[in-house]
Amino acid sequence: MKFGYREICLEHDTGSRHPESPDRLRAIRRALDDAEDIEYVAADAATKAEVASVHADEYVRSVRQFCADGGGNWDADTVAVEETWDAAMASAGLAAWAAEAALDGADGAETPFSLGRPPGHHAVADDAMGFCFVNNVAVAAERALSERDVDRVAILDWDVHHGNGTQDIFYDRGDVYYVSFHEEGLYPGTGDISESGDGEGEGQTMNVPFPPGCGDADYLSVYDTIVEPEFEAFDPDLLLVSAGFDAHEQDPISRMLVSTGGYGVLAKRLADFAERTDAPLAFVLEGGYGLETLSSGVREVHDVLGGKELADVDTEPSEDGRNVRDALVYQGFGPQ
């Protein structure tokens, strides 16, 4: 794969006890050390105008000044230092690069994957939260919509937390279809099935709040029967994945049961959809706080898209998974 990576992203120092640490990127790099067909790309940082295209001007100015003044605790979870501004701009630029590379034809074993931090999907239009300052995937989507021959972008967010920021930014827009797989009741407490878009975006936000204990078969069942048909009807010109790996069965902060192999199977489903519908595919790193589970998940995606045989994962959804699928149908999603 082509991996977007910048050393400045290591300079966003959250402290020795914070789960979103520079060690996350270091662990991924170590896991990829012996992988074949790896290319690292140090893409340009996002511009202030690109960030302001999805965030309020006053908020962007406030974050920049907060970092220039030395940073600190923006809130209880979201920490900055002076270098955080540059890291956040680099992370957003890497995400935008991933979208651009996909649109330029990088696919298969060269599918682009942005390895930036801080992550982004909790950053709403006018505030930072949940470790996130700039919504990276939103910057990527907006650049594609503004500067390329792209009319519609689909986003699948498989991070274990609801991507409230991405939802907030695109909730009333008709050119982005946002789907979030997340653990029900987990931070930030948003992402109910009933939150499905407004105005021109009505019906183009799909929240899939899985009860704790759901795993591979539940994710794949909802993807196969609900998400893929919805994406196919939407007919996206670009498909982006907010790829957090904290729904892993061994992640320390969630109660989900997705396996390393399950992430690979889901990534292959998306790659097959992208190839069949001519919708370029790119991945943008979000969460994942067990270093082993995070790094093995990224490596699995790389290996599978490079041709590795898929893992043999469970395909029979649990009762909870079936109930979620039925609730989505009742809400009006999927084939009726």
Side-chain angles (χ1 to χ4, degrees):
M1 296 182 80
K2 293 179 180 288
F3 287 98
Y5 177 79
R6 293 273 305 276
E7 288 288 321
I8 184 60
C9 291
L10 301 177
E11 299 302 313
H12 169 54
D13 185 0
T14 53
S16 60
R17 302 184 65 180
H18 199 285
E20 203 296 286
S21 77
D23 288 339
R24 298 175 65 239
L25 297 189
R26 296 186 181 109
I28 293 170
R29 290 289 301 261
R30 286 195 300 271
L32 295 171
D33 272 348
D34 63 346
E36 297 181 356
D37 300 320
I38 293 287
E39 179 183 352
Y40 289 105
V41 179
D44 292 339
T47 67
K48 185 178 176 182
E50 287 175 329
V51 173
S53 71
V54 297
H55 290 287
D57 289 342
E58 181 56 35
Y59 166 67
V60 175
R61 286 192 292 269
S62 295
V63 172
R64 187 175 187 179
Q65 190 61 53
F66 184 72
C67 296
D69 291 340
N73 285 81
W74 183 275
D75 62 25
D77 300 312
T78 311
V79 181
V81 292
E82 184 176 352
E83 294 82 3
T84 295
W85 171 258
D86 288 339
M89 297 298 280
S91 189
L94 291 169
W97 160 82
E100 293 273 358
L103 289 165
D104 287 339
D107 60 7
E110 295 188 337
T111 299
F113 197 137
S114 165
L115 299 178
R117 61 176 292 275
H121 74 151
H122 292 309
V124 297
D126 60 357
D127 202 5
M129 59 184 292
F131 315 160
C132 304
F133 290 92
V134 174
N135 196 304
N136 304 316
V137 77
V139 170
E142 186 61 35
R143 182 197 279 186
L145 289 162
S146 299
E147 300 182 10
R148 300 293 295 258
D149 186 21
V150 170
D151 295 323
R152 293 171 303 280
V153 177
I155 301 172
L156 175 61
D157 185 338
W158 74 36
D159 189 280
V160 81
H161 303 93
H162 177 236
N164 61 299
T166 312
Q167 173 174 300
D168 174 72
I169 290 167
F170 296 120
Y171 199 64
D172 60 357
R173 290 177 49 169
D175 52 0
V176 175
Y177 197 132
Y178 176 67
V179 176
S180 175
F181 286 0
H182 52 273
E183 182 179 325
E184 184 178 29
L186 206 60
Y187 179 92
T190 50
D192 188 80
I193 285 179
S194 64
E195 299 169 22
S196 58
D198 193 21
E200 293 183 5
E202 184 175 356
Q204 289 181 195
T205 293
M206 184 197 304
N207 283 303
V208 187
F210 287 107
C214 287
D216 298 338
D218 305 305
Y219 274 52
L220 293 170
S221 174
V222 170
Y223 175 78
D224 289 342
T225 63
I226 307 292
V227 175
E228 188 167 294
E230 287 285 322
F231 277 175
E232 186 144 15
F234 182 64
D235 190 23
D237 302 306
L238 174 66
L239 176 57
L240 300 176
V241 181
S242 270
F245 291 85
D246 38 8
H248 194 282
E249 58 193 344
Q250 296 177 355
D251 188 271
I253 66 172
S254 79
R255 297 168 291 174
M256 302 300 279
L257 298 176
V258 179
S259 69
T260 299
Y263 281 116
V265 173
L266 186 54
K268 186 62 165 61
R269 292 281 214 280
L270 290 161
D272 289 346
F273 171 81
E275 182 177 11
R276 179 168 55 81
T277 62
D278 198 27
L281 171 66
F283 293 80
V284 177
L285 185 66
E286 297 288 357
Y289 304 103
L291 299 183
E292 175 62 28
T293 56
L294 167 64
S295 57
S296 65
V298 175
R299 175 65 188 260
E300 181 74 5
V301 171
H302 163 75
D303 289 350
V304 163
L305 295 192
K308 175 187 172 183
E309 184 176 348
L310 295 177
D312 184 15
V313 301
D314 187 15
T315 57
E316 182 60 38
S318 66
E319 181 178 356
D320 281 339
R322 291 193 297 271
N323 288 341
V324 170
R325 186 181 61 197
D326 292 346
L328 289 164
V329 172
Y330 182 78
Q331 189 69 26
F333 293 111
Q336 301 298 305

